[in-house]
Amino acid sequence: MMMTLLKTIGVLVGIMSSLLVFVVVCLVAINASDRTKSPNTLLVESWLKQQPVASSTNGFEYAKTIVGTTEDNASLQQKSLLALSTEEVELTRGFKTACYQTDVVTCNQFINDNDTYIQDVVGKYNAEIEQYNTLLSMPDWQESEQSLTHQKQIHWSKLFKLRDLSILAAIKGVNANASIIDIDGVTAFLDRDAHFWNNVYHSSRSLMSHTIAYNMLKLQLNLANSISPENKEFSKKISTWQSPFILTQSDFKRIFSGEWLFGRNIMQQMEIDAQQESAPFYEQWLVKMFIKSIDDDNLRAEYFVNMAKEPASTDATFTLIQPEYCDNDNSLLQLWQLRYNPIGKVLSCTFYETDLKLRIVNMNNEIEQLRSNLMMTQ
């Protein structure tokens, strides 16, 4: 009886093992080749095309030279450039608290209380402040295709510190002895700063850069709201604010194609990392067998092309229909859909969790409302 039971178990184990091997062999066979580029992929690739600009006029390239990227081994010059002390960081934070969305009286009181220290900090970082002013003079902003990865992102935090120092210099203006905000100095600075970041807002290819520009524009408008009640003509002198913040279909296509390329670069880096000798053999095998680059491009392109067609509204009830391979309500159907390029499809499903167009539209509406409110006070 015991021998019969053991034989039966052995047979069952053999059958299960054979089935498992058969399934794996079938999956490997199904995933043996990649797709060809879909019409959607070709369309998104056409959105990526840009007229080249000279490096000498490209603010993106200049920003990289002064603050570096996340993958850089920062030079000694870059390390010393923005290594602000705790007290200096607190000074810039205090300025924002006192002068953003408050009033001129509160702002002037902060400047008066910290007058000597502000002069010292501005003098100490004069060369770095000049670098930010040089950045503002750059007429172009164009991110390279290679920059659209996590590792090659600009050190945004360093650039923010550089701007904080520059606005401190602007509030002192040409009269370093004045212990109140220099309206003319701030106006001249904001006019250039607003023009530059509006250019980034309408030229950036990545959602991150676009969001950074939105935050910079929002900061400018919040500072202006503190100043304008006491200086009615102030905001009229900022040329960028005289026209509404409008997003065109070209803006959406540029940002979506940049996000599509960002995803492609991440997948390619994942494949490269998995093929390193230090990577576990099973990881190398899984990536090689079950990530199909072109099919992955096609999946993401389908999402972004459909997203570009979505109405540019704040109607959160409008969402893209998820493909069948994301259908969690039908596990068997979902499992069947995942037989080809399963890793790519699982990652593609994450895009459908967020309405990127709605997010972009909401950001634009927020800064446009701030701009409109500011103009109404003039």
Side-chain angles (χ1 to χ4, degrees):
M1 182 69 177
M2 182 60 71
M3 290 300 296
T4 302
L5 180 60
L6 291 174
K7 287 181 180 180
T8 302
I9 293 174
V11 170
L12 291 175
V13 170
I15 293 173
M16 294 297 292
S17 299
S18 298
L19 285 174
L20 180 60
V21 170
F22 176 74
V23 169
V24 171
V25 169
C26 288
L27 288 175
V28 170
I30 291 172
N31 287 272
S33 61
D34 205 347
R35 308 287 193 192
T36 57
K37 291 184 179 182
S38 69
N40 285 335
T41 293
L42 295 173
L43 179 59
V44 173
E45 287 182 335
S46 72
W47 295 348
L48 282 169
K49 295 178 180 178
Q50 298 185 109
Q51 290 295 326
V53 299
S55 296
S56 59
T57 63
N58 190 350
F60 173 76
E61 294 296 333
Y62 183 71
K64 287 198 301 181
T65 66
I66 61 176
V67 299
T69 63
T70 52
E71 75 170 357
D72 288 339
N73 293 320
S75 66
L76 291 177
Q77 181 182 1
Q78 287 173 337
K79 286 182 178 178
S80 63
L81 173 65
L82 296 170
L84 301 185
S85 67
T86 302
E87 292 78 11
E88 290 166 347
V89 171
E90 287 302 316
L91 178 67
T92 59
R93 288 176 178 170
F95 170 73
K96 290 177 183 176
T97 301
C99 297
Y100 286 68
Q101 290 183 297
T102 56
D103 54 69
V104 172
V105 174
T106 303
C107 186
N108 281 335
Q109 186 62 54
F110 174 85
I111 297 169
N112 183 69
D113 293 344
N114 296 275
D115 183 51
T116 301
Y117 191 32
I118 292 174
Q119 290 184 51
D120 291 342
V121 170
V122 169
K124 178 181 177 181
Y125 291 100
N126 184 64
E128 291 78 12
I129 291 168
E130 284 304 311
Q131 288 183 316
Y132 188 76
N133 285 325
T134 299
L135 176 65
L136 297 188
S137 69
M138 296 287 172
D140 303 308
W141 178 273
Q142 189 173 104
E143 298 148 319
S144 64
E145 293 189 1
Q146 295 75 22
S147 71
L148 297 177
T149 64
H150 288 298
Q151 295 82 4
K152 296 183 182 295
Q153 288 294 304
I154 287 175
H155 263 308
W156 290 110
S157 61
K158 291 185 178 182
L159 193 59
F160 300 157
K161 292 176 184 177
L162 198 54
R163 184 184 182 276
D164 290 342
L165 295 171
S166 300
I167 190 67
L168 281 178
I171 67 172
K172 297 301 296 179
V174 295
N175 184 6
N177 296 319
S179 57
I180 61 173
I181 188 170
D182 185 309
I183 299 300
D184 291 338
V186 171
T187 302
F189 174 80
L190 286 180
D191 189 42
R192 299 172 68 235
D193 201 52
H195 177 78
F196 174 80
W197 286 108
N198 186 56
N199 188 29
V200 177
Y201 187 69
H202 289 288
S203 302
S204 55
R205 313 174 74 171
S206 71
L207 183 59
M208 178 179 290
S209 298
H210 183 81
T211 304
I212 294 295
Y214 145 79
N215 282 315
M216 292 299 101
L217 293 169
K218 184 177 176 182
L219 276 176
Q220 297 160 4
L221 291 164
N222 284 336
L223 177 59
N225 275 315
S226 299
I227 299 173
S228 59
E230 301 295 328
N231 298 270
K232 298 298 184 181
E233 300 298 314
F234 157 72
S235 298
K236 293 181 180 179
K237 299 177 182 178
I238 313 299
S239 58
T240 299
W241 298 344
Q242 307 314 305
S243 301
F245 293 112
I246 297 175
L247 290 172
T248 67
Q249 189 67 359
S250 295
D251 288 315
F252 291 117
K253 289 179 179 179
R254 187 188 63 256
I255 296 170
F256 290 158
S257 61
E259 287 300 293
W260 175 87
L261 184 59
F262 194 91
R264 170 193 269 183
N265 289 339
I266 289 176
M267 295 297 288
Q268 288 180 345
Q269 188 60 49
M270 185 187 301
E271 293 182 70
I272 293 172
D273 293 342
Q275 298 308 312
Q276 301 298 317
E277 293 183 359
S278 58
F281 77 92
Y282 61 85
E283 184 176 309
Q284 297 182 32
W285 185 79
L286 284 173
V287 169
K288 184 177 181 180
M289 288 294 102
F290 296 113
I291 290 185
K292 299 301 165 189
S293 301
I294 298 178
D295 185 63
D296 186 62
D297 287 346
N298 294 343
L299 296 175
R300 283 181 290 104
E302 179 183 17
Y303 168 80
F304 285 116
V305 168
N306 288 335
M307 182 62 69
K309 297 176 181 177
E310 176 186 336
S313 71
T314 55
D315 183 5
T317 62
F318 185 92
T319 56
L320 296 180
I321 298 176
Q322 293 190 1
E324 291 182 340
Y325 56 82
C326 298
D327 185 5
N328 294 316
D329 295 330
N330 192 329
S331 299
L332 289 177
L333 177 61
Q334 186 181 33
L335 189 62
W336 174 251
Q337 292 288 338
L338 293 178
R339 69 192 184 281
Y340 180 74
N341 189 18
I343 297 176
K345 285 181 177 174
V346 169
L347 293 176
S348 179
C349 288
T350 62
F351 285 102
Y352 290 87
E353 297 173 2
T354 305
D355 189 332
L356 291 183
K357 195 165 192 177
L358 178 61
R359 178 180 170 184
I360 294 170
V361 169
N362 283 337
M363 288 192 297
N364 188 80
N365 288 345
E366 183 177 1
I367 57 173
E368 173 54 25
Q369 188 63 57
L370 287 172
R371 190 201 69 83
S372 297
N373 292 343
L374 184 64
M375 293 299 106
M376 289 174 63
T377 63
Q378 305 308 300

